[in-house]
Amino acid sequence: MGRFLGVWLCALIFTPAVHAFSLVDDAGQRFEFDAPVKRIVSLMPHGSELLFAIGAGDRLVGAVEFSDYPEAALKIPRVGGYSGLNIERILALQPDVILAWPEGNGSRTLQRLRELGLRVFVSDPNSYEDIARNLEVLGTMVGAEEAGRREADDFRQQVSELQQRYLNSAQVRVFYQIWHDPLMTQGGDTFISQAIALCGGRNIFADLAIRAPQVSIEAVLARNPEVIVASGAGDKRPQWLNDWQRYPSLTAVRSESTYHIPSDLFHRPTPRFLQGTRQLCQQLHKTRQWLTTQVE
């Protein structure tokens, strides 16, 4: 009896304690966890990428189409895409948590997952600080607090350095084009609009409250952007970006300032968004120099 008691005491002493913790997602929901999460299904590419960024890609048991970075993400079983999710496949994977994105996942589908007893944790970063916070929150979720803090702190430091570099730059009017048919842009409350501001630009539609509003060509012409930027649906410059050449009176056309940034670097709120931000800053600086020569 004494021998068994001694073995039990040793196990008690040397087994690491698991502490319960709580997390709040980007929708303001609080979740209680008894232990770090081991099985995650990500319903958006940025969720998968954030987990890989903190070294927790091995916790992903399911992902959607276009979860393609890093290369290891391509090996994760697919559970559908933006056009629809395979709920049966998601259930079969027995996830501890579903990472969801309201803009890309239908509300009815997410509600159905909740009704089936799954924990739907919303990741919806909408600013540089939101991206950093998501790295920290996901780090805590999977028991990688140190990695999450390290990546978040490094991200914040790089953002701060860019802010200081372009703090006193002359402002440039920017039209960001999401798509051409219908013509869509970004409102003021988005991480892309924040990037424009960080680089010393002014989003000409920052006054619109909707994140991705439709606008008219006439409205763009009236606000006369000095720069037009688009990402399109892939890495290549979209052909429709050249359609603005029909309007030679636009300052952005006269200054040859219709630029392209690969969508993976500018549409995903992950650490790689800083690469897209740097490209944008360089583009605005080029136009700023052209504008200076016109004044002189």
Side-chain angles (χ1 to χ4, degrees), residues 10 19 22 32 38 43 56 105 143 177 185 201 218 223-225:
C10 287
H19 299 287
S22 63
E32 304 295 333
K38 295 182 178 180
L43 302 185
N105 309 137
Q177 183 175 356
T185 187
E218 291 73 19
R223 301 193 184 198
N224 189 25

Side-chain angles (χ1 to χ4, degrees), residues 89-127:
R89 188 172 299 170
I90 292 173
L91 290 171
L93 292 170
Q94 299 181 318
D96 300 317
V97 164
I98 304 288
L99 280 184
W101 183 43
E103 281 198 53
N105 309 137
S107 58
R108 293 179 63 180
T109 300
L110 296 183
Q111 183 57 34
R112 178 57 179 157
L113 292 171
R114 292 185 180 100
E115 291 171 353
L116 291 169
L118 296 172
R119 286 191 286 191
V120 178
F121 194 94
V122 172
S123 172
D124 188 23
N126 205 33
S127 68

Side-chain angles (χ1 to χ4, degrees), residues 17 52 59 67 76 130 139 155 162 176 179 200 229 237 273 296:
F52 273 101
R59 304 300 176 93
S67 289
I76 301 167
D130 284 350
F155 183 81
L162 280 174
Y176 185 79
W179 202 244
V229 183
R237 178 186 173 96
F273 180 54
E296 296 174 351

Side-chain angles (χ1 to χ4, degrees), residues 211-237:
R211 285 194 186 182
Q214 293 185 27
V215 295
S216 66
I217 290 177
E218 291 73 19
V220 176
L221 295 176
R223 301 193 184 198
N224 189 25
E226 294 162 323
V227 169
I228 296 175
V229 183
S231 290
D235 292 338
K236 295 182 179 179
R237 178 186 173 96

